[in-house]
Amino acid sequence: MTQVLIGDLRYGAVHNLLSCSAASILAPCASSQATFEDCFAKQYAIIHRLETNKLRNVAKLFAHLLSVDGISWGVLGCIRLTEEDTTSSSRIFIKYLFQVRHGRGKQQP
């Protein structure tokens, strides 16, 4: 699912609906939340390989999943905020994740 969503040039309401639907359909299954959380860790580990627009799409997806409790805040445990452990891409991802989560991300028309 993340590959489909990050491949689009824009991340919009339809993507939120897709991720929300997937999270709600799979919600009764505890392993589905774990799957999304594993996906977060894997995406964060390779975030430096993504173009900026794709990086932002990934951040929007996970910000939305955090806001609808599709994943727990425990996923942030894989993030270490030190100069040695972060790249410019990971810092952009973290910044955008929280901006979107708190409604301050740039909205594209």
Side-chain angles (χ1 to χ4, degrees), residues 36-47:
F36 282 118
E37 291 172 357
D38 288 341
C39 186
F40 179 92
K42 288 176 185 174
Q43 286 296 316
Y44 184 73
I46 62 165
I47 205 73

Side-chain angles (χ1 to χ4, degrees), residues 15-92:
H15 296 97
N16 282 345
L17 291 173
L18 283 173
S19 63
C20 191
S21 295
S24 65
I25 290 169
L26 299 172
C29 179
S31 65
S32 66
Q33 185 173 8
T35 302
F36 282 118
E37 291 172 357
D38 288 341
C39 186
F40 179 92
K42 288 176 185 174
Q43 286 296 316
Y44 184 73
I46 62 165
I47 205 73
H48 62 279
R49 297 182 193 166
L50 299 179
E51 300 168 7
T52 303
N53 195 48
K54 290 182 179 183
L55 182 148
R56 288 181 175 166
N57 286 348
V58 172
K60 288 178 184 180
L61 168 67
F62 288 113
H64 179 71
L65 287 173
L66 283 167
S67 68
V68 297
D69 294 327
I71 57 177
S72 74
W73 287 94
V75 296
L76 301 178
C78 68
I79 298 174
R80 290 193 51 186
L81 290 177
T82 64
E83 190 173 348
E84 297 84 26
D85 293 324
T86 58
T87 62
S88 61
S89 295
S90 63
R91 290 187 292 270
I92 291 169

